[in-house]
């Protein structure tokens, strides 16, 4: 048996105590003298600077995928969108109905089934209109209320600039993990003003947002990963040419 000096034993005990303090309350496992060792270093910054760095990182890259739920205009929407500067594509669900959105430049298209277009309608004319619009990429006129309502879901700058700001006094809430990536969490008013998980690996992108007031939770991924975006084929497109049916 190799004897261990009392001094060495005391040092080991002290190191263990310090380690326990460092990782207490976090989602990390294991023991490290510095939980930010090997990271991009944002975990060492004050909460307001972490939020600012995440906002700048999000603005600096051209593409992102976001999915989750948001509350808007008194409704709950479930989104799965891929966005870039030129537009976006993805699916939106609300009140039991799901539809596709596609924006290329300033042209917005909506694709849904007959049940979606016929919802709330009455009479044979409404049924015929729904059948005509079903499963086509319907070009949404710029003057239609749906254009204003839905184009924001396809605009990366508008959507993220409105989302990535927490409310109230900012503070950090330990180290966590999202999708296998280490994060540092920032909260507003101890969570009442929302929480934002920011990557500790590589660029400090935002990875998960819980909005204030239970207004939804969104995750962000595929930062900088390009994807194809083009207008639908002519045979697959219908230019309604006037205000869309109310549905």
């Amino acid at each position: 048996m190799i004897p261990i000096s009392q001094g060495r034993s005391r040092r080991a005990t002290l190191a263990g105590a310090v380690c326990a303090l460092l990782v207490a309350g976090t989602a990390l496992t294991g023991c490290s003298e510095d939980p930010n060792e090997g990271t991009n270093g944002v975990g060492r910054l004050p909460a307001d600077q972490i939020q600012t760095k995440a906002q700048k990182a999000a603005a600096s890259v051209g593409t992102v995928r976001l999915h989750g739920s948001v509350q808007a205009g008194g409704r709950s929407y479930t989104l799965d969108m891929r966005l870039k500067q030129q537009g976006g594509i993805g699916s939106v669900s609300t009140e039991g109905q799901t539809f596709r959105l596609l924006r290329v430049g300033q042209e917005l298209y909506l694709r849904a089934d007959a049940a979606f277009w016929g919802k709330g309608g009455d009479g044979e004319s409404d049924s015929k209109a729904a059948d005509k619009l079903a499963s086509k990429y319907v070009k949404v006129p710029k003057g239609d209320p749906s254009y204003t309502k839905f184009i924001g879901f396809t605009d990366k700058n508008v959507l993220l600039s409105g989302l990535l700001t927490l409310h109230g006094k900012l503070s950090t809430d330990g180290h966590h993990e999202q999708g296998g990536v280490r994060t540092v969490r920032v909260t507003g008013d101890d969570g009442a003003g929302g929480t934002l998980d920011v990557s500790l690996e590589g660029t400090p992108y935002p990875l998960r947002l819980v909005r204030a007031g239970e207004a939804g939770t969104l995750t962000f991924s595929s930062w900088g990963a390009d994807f194809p975006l083009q207008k639908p084929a002519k045979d697959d497109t219908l230019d309604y040419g006037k205000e869309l049916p109310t549905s």
Side-chain angles (χ1 to χ4, degrees):
M1 178 181 297
I2 301 175
I4 301 177
S5 69
Q6 290 185 351
R8 180 179 176 187
S9 177
R10 283 194 295 270
R11 287 195 300 272
T13 301
L14 179 60
V18 171
C19 176
L21 288 172
L22 287 170
V23 301
T26 72
L28 295 178
T29 59
C31 180
S32 171
E33 293 184 4
D34 182 358
N36 293 297
E37 184 178 354
T39 71
N40 55 24
V42 297
R44 298 187 177 97
L45 301 176
D48 60 334
Q49 293 185 29
I50 297 174
Q51 177 181 253
T52 298
K53 281 191 171 292
Q55 292 169 336
K56 289 182 177 180
S60 71
V61 69
T63 60
V64 65
R65 178 188 177 190
L66 64 85
H67 58 95
S69 61
V70 295
Q71 298 282 340
R75 285 190 179 186
S76 177
Y77 295 91
T78 300
L79 310 179
D80 188 354
M81 299 294 301
R82 300 200 70 174
L83 308 174
K84 61 168 56 176
Q85 300 298 333
Q86 300 89 343
I89 187 170
S91 65
V92 180
S93 299
T94 183
E95 297 185 349
Q97 299 287 330
T98 299
F99 53 93
R100 299 277 293 175
L101 284 178
L102 168 64
R103 180 176 67 85
V104 182
Q106 294 302 308
E107 295 185 0
L108 179 67
Y109 302 87
L110 193 157
R111 185 173 189 172
D113 59 18
F116 172 88
W117 291 112
K119 185 179 180 184
D122 55 2
E124 185 178 351
S125 60
D126 293 303
S127 177
K128 288 182 178 179
D131 290 339
K132 181 181 180 181
L133 298 172
S135 300
K136 292 282 189 179
Y137 277 102
V138 179
K139 187 175 181 180
V140 183
K142 289 185 178 180
D144 189 275
S146 297
Y147 187 92
T148 303
K149 180 183 292 184
F150 295 132
I151 195 169
F153 289 154
T154 67
D155 191 312
K156 173 181 176 288
N157 292 335
V158 170
L159 194 58
L160 294 188
S161 64
L163 289 174
L164 298 178
T165 300
L166 303 178
H167 302 283
K169 183 180 180 181
L170 300 186
S171 59
T172 55
D173 185 27
H175 292 63
H176 299 264
E177 185 178 293
Q178 295 296 330
V181 178
R182 290 177 292 172
T183 66
V184 60
R185 182 168 296 170
V186 179
T187 68
D189 280 347
D190 296 324
T195 68
L196 182 65
D197 278 54
V198 178
S199 177
L200 286 171
E201 302 178 14
T203 305
Y205 293 124
L207 297 184
R208 182 175 184 267
L209 171 73
V210 179
R211 301 182 70 201
E214 299 182 349
T217 300
L218 290 167
T219 60
F220 307 92
S221 60
S222 301
W223 290 102
D226 199 12
F227 61 93
L229 185 67
Q230 57 187 12
K231 295 181 182 180
K234 187 175 181 179
D235 293 343
D236 205 22
T237 305
L238 179 63
D239 189 345
Y240 200 68
K242 57 183 178 178
E243 188 171 303
L244 299 180
T246 56
S247 62

